[in-house]
Amino acid sequence: MAEVESFTLDHTKVKAPYVRLITVEEGPKGDKIANYDLRLVQPNENAIPTAGLHTIEHLLAGLLRDRLTGVIDCSPFGCRTGFHLITWGEHSTTDVAKALKSALEEIAYHIEWKDVQGTTIESCGNYRDHSLFSAKEWSKKILAEGISDQPFERHVVD
Ligand SMILES: [Zn+2]
């Protein structure tokens, strides 16, 4: 089976919350796609409950597109400790961490339920499983710890 970089990362050595560049892949025509590890909580110590994570997912989908060019997708890890972010082209982890910080500030302090996209039976695969309260409380916790642009050392962005 193909070895996947994310599974070679020593999850006991990282210091969340952080942004890590996993890989930059180049397509046959030279286009580049970057994949980032947006680690919001410490692996094997915490996990964001599904309803809060689900609402953060719906909100980051729009908020990160407002803050970064070339966003293709931002999807939660099955372990519920963070997200993959996939973009056209490469951004510095500092710029991604600043965009993530700004998006989480928006969730924590400004977003209301009416602002959450895709919360109806037609527009979501599990519309009953959302919690803006949880999304806000977890965002505040992550912001209080600060978001590092490096995974192994705390180098928190402004
Ligand atoms: Zn959904």
Side-chain angles (χ1 to χ4, degrees), residues 8 38 50 56 61 67 88-89 92 105 131 142 157:
T8 67
L38 309 185
T50 57
I56 292 172
R67 287 162 174 75
W88 287 111
S92 71
E105 285 170 346
S131 171
I142 295 155
V157 298

Side-chain angles (χ1 to χ4, degrees), residues 16-141:
Y18 67 78
V19 172
R20 182 176 71 94
L21 176 65
I22 297 171
T23 182
V24 179
E25 306 268 347
E26 193 170 326
K29 295 180 179 171
D31 289 325
K32 288 183 178 165
I33 286 178
N35 182 8
Y36 300 88
D37 166 0
L38 309 185
R39 192 72 59 161
L40 302 184
V41 299
Q42 188 63 26
N44 299 302
E45 290 181 11
N46 250 321
I48 301 174
T50 57
L53 189 74
H54 190 190
T55 303
I56 292 172
E57 177 205 356
H58 280 230
L59 288 167
L60 287 183
L63 293 170
L64 286 180
R65 281 178 172 81
D66 293 340
R67 287 162 174 75
L68 285 174
T69 59
V71 171
I72 296 171
D73 188 42
C74 186
S75 298
F77 298 146
C79 59
R80 294 185 281 112
T81 61
F83 289 80
H84 276 293
L85 171 67
I86 314 280
T87 65
W88 287 111
E90 188 178 346
H91 302 274
S92 71
T93 55
T94 308
D95 286 347
V96 175
K98 285 180 175 178
L100 177 61
K101 181 186 177 194
S102 167
L104 293 177
E105 285 170 346
E106 195 70 18
I107 295 170
Y109 303 112
H110 301 293
I111 290 286
E112 298 173 34
W113 179 244
K114 65 175 171 51
D115 303 320
V116 185
Q117 299 182 56
T119 55
T120 65
I121 197 168
E122 293 86 4
S123 58
C124 178
N126 192 359
Y127 82 101
R128 295 178 182 89
D129 195 28
H130 277 283
S131 171
L132 182 58
F133 176 82
S134 176
K136 283 178 176 288
E137 292 304 308
W138 282 91
S139 294
K140 289 174 196 168
K141 171 180 162 48

